[in-house]
Amino acid sequence: MTMKRSIVIKSFLLLGAALVFACVVSARKPLKTLIITGQNNHNWQVSHLVLKDILENSGLFSVDFMISPEKGQDLSNFLIDFTPYHLVVLDYNGDNWPEETMKRFENYAAKGGGIVVYHAADNSFPQWEEYNKICALGGWEGRNEHSGPYAYWSNGELIRDNSPGRGGSHGRQHEYMMIARNSEHPIVDGLPNRWSHAPDELYDRMRGPANIASLLYTAQSDTATGGSGREEPLVFTVNYGKARIFHTMLGHCGPTYENNPAMQCTGFQVTLLRGAEWAATGKVTQKVPKDFPTSTYITYRYDYKEALPEGVK
Ligand code: ZN
């Protein structure tokens, strides 16, 4: 072999090794995630830390925060740079963002950004048309028939109902059954069709543009617990241009990090993680964990970590 040829082969080998190394590194590199919070009618001081821990404990995400000034304060400097992020998690329900931030968020979505709408984030910004399209459904803050139809599951299909009335309510917190309405979407592929959710609010009578792409889970809102009597859409993806949007209405935050059953529910955490990965990448690489709840029992991850099999540390 000539010296020259040997150098060429060695160079190819080195290049190959570098490519393999780059692939391994990029596969392990956490997805850059931004949680936006700082105002909420909920306990955001706890929820944003819990969301961060759920996401980071999976090893798939690295989380930054943008925390707004308090309600009623000047938000004109609350400018957000969305460009570094694979994923934006909305845990904000409060005063209007500056127009520049609104415009940047719309651009982030339009360019195919990944977004998670978490619980009361869908209460926010009732007058911001694009935001309401990003959520598909919202509630409270004066929402009514002008916000869009009600959406609920009836006789095997998603009904959009334009009848007048307020948008958004819920009965008392209770345990309820999550029912899959799509078993093929990567977010739910392999998960049981029915699983028991920890005590949580069950949002009902939500309304909005109702541009739901894939309805993943509904739950029956029982009038006995103060609900609507309808089968309510609670977890879904949203049809909004190139954006990948996962909306979960679950996960009402409890009083403390340790006393927080709706967010400690394994079902909430696993669907959040799968929805977040899908929103960020378009794929779900997570296996169905052994501790996932079933139709007959609820499971919890009190420390927001996947329970490891016995003997593994
Ligand atoms: Zn709530």
Side-chain angles (χ1 to χ4, degrees), residues 239-274:
N239 186 8
Y240 186 80
K242 287 195 281 182
R244 280 187 303 266
I245 302 165
F246 173 72
H247 185 158
T248 180
M249 295 185 186
L250 308 183
H252 176 82
C253 189
T256 64
Y257 187 92
E258 294 79 17
N259 178 10
N260 191 13
M263 299 188 86
Q264 284 165 320
C265 173
T266 305
F268 167 74
Q269 294 182 31
V270 171
T271 50
L272 175 78
L273 284 169
R274 294 173 69 100

Side-chain angles (χ1 to χ4, degrees), residues 178-192:
M178 300 294 292
I179 303 170
R181 297 301 174 191
N182 176 336
S183 51
E184 272 149 39
H185 195 281
I187 296 172
V188 296
D189 184 20
L191 301 181

Side-chain angles (χ1 to χ4, degrees), residues 46-96:
V46 167
S47 63
H48 78 294
L49 300 177
V50 168
L51 291 169
K52 176 186 164 81
D53 284 352
I54 295 169
L55 291 166
E56 290 194 339
N57 286 338
S58 73
L60 293 171
F61 305 89
S62 67
V63 173
D64 297 333
F65 295 132
M66 272 299 287
I67 297 179
S68 73
E70 286 174 31
K71 198 165 183 57
Q73 302 292 307
D74 178 14
L75 261 73
S76 56
N77 291 323
F78 190 59
L79 299 175
I80 303 179
D81 180 9
F82 294 95
T83 52
Y85 294 104
H86 300 102
L87 182 69
V88 171
V89 178
L90 301 164
D91 182 19
Y92 181 93
N93 175 19
D95 292 343
N96 286 341

Side-chain angles (χ1 to χ4, degrees), residues 42 119-120 170 200-201 203 251-253:
H42 286 67
H119 197 60
H170 60 75
D200 197 351
E201 290 171 346
Y203 277 9
H252 176 82
C253 189

Side-chain angles (χ1 to χ4, degrees), residues 139-306:
W140 296 273
E141 304 298 328
R143 282 176 174 82
N144 58 25
E145 58 274 19
H146 302 297
S147 315
Y150 292 117
Y152 50 88
W153 185 265
S154 179
N155 289 323
E157 61 177 328
L158 184 67
I159 306 293
R160 292 170 172 86
D161 173 353
N162 286 302
S163 58
R166 62 167 291 177
S169 57
H170 60 75
R172 62 179 162 80
Q173 293 185 46
H174 62 292
E175 297 170 3
Y176 51 88
M177 186 75 72
M178 300 294 292
I179 303 170
R181 297 301 174 191
N182 176 336
S183 51
E184 272 149 39
H185 195 281
I187 296 172
V188 296
D189 184 20
L191 301 181
N193 282 333
R194 286 169 168 257
W195 54 271
S196 306
H197 182 39
D200 197 351
E201 290 171 346
L202 197 170
Y203 277 9
D204 65 50
R205 303 181 183 91
M206 303 294 275
R207 50 194 323 165
N211 47 325
I212 291 172
S214 291
L215 176 58
L216 303 178
Y217 289 106
T218 62
Q220 177 64 32
S221 172
D222 196 336
T223 51
T225 50
S228 62
R230 293 171 177 166
E231 186 78 27
E232 298 285 354
L234 297 183
V235 182
F236 49 84
T237 65
V238 178
N239 186 8
Y240 186 80
K242 287 195 281 182
R244 280 187 303 266
I245 302 165
F246 173 72
H247 185 158
T248 180
M249 295 185 186
L250 308 183
H252 176 82
C253 189
T256 64
Y257 187 92
E258 294 79 17
N259 178 10
N260 191 13
M263 299 188 86
Q264 284 165 320
C265 173
T266 305
F268 167 74
Q269 294 182 31
V270 171
T271 50
L272 175 78
L273 284 169
R274 294 173 69 100
E277 187 185 9
W278 175 82
T281 68
K283 292 181 195 142
V284 176
T285 61
Q286 301 161 64
K287 294 199 176 88
V288 176
K290 288 197 173 65
D291 62 339
F292 198 84
T294 70
S295 61
T296 49
Y297 63 87
I298 298 165
T299 58
Y300 293 92
R301 294 175 175 178
Y302 292 106
D303 56 359
Y304 310 102
K305 283 183 196 143
E306 182 168 5

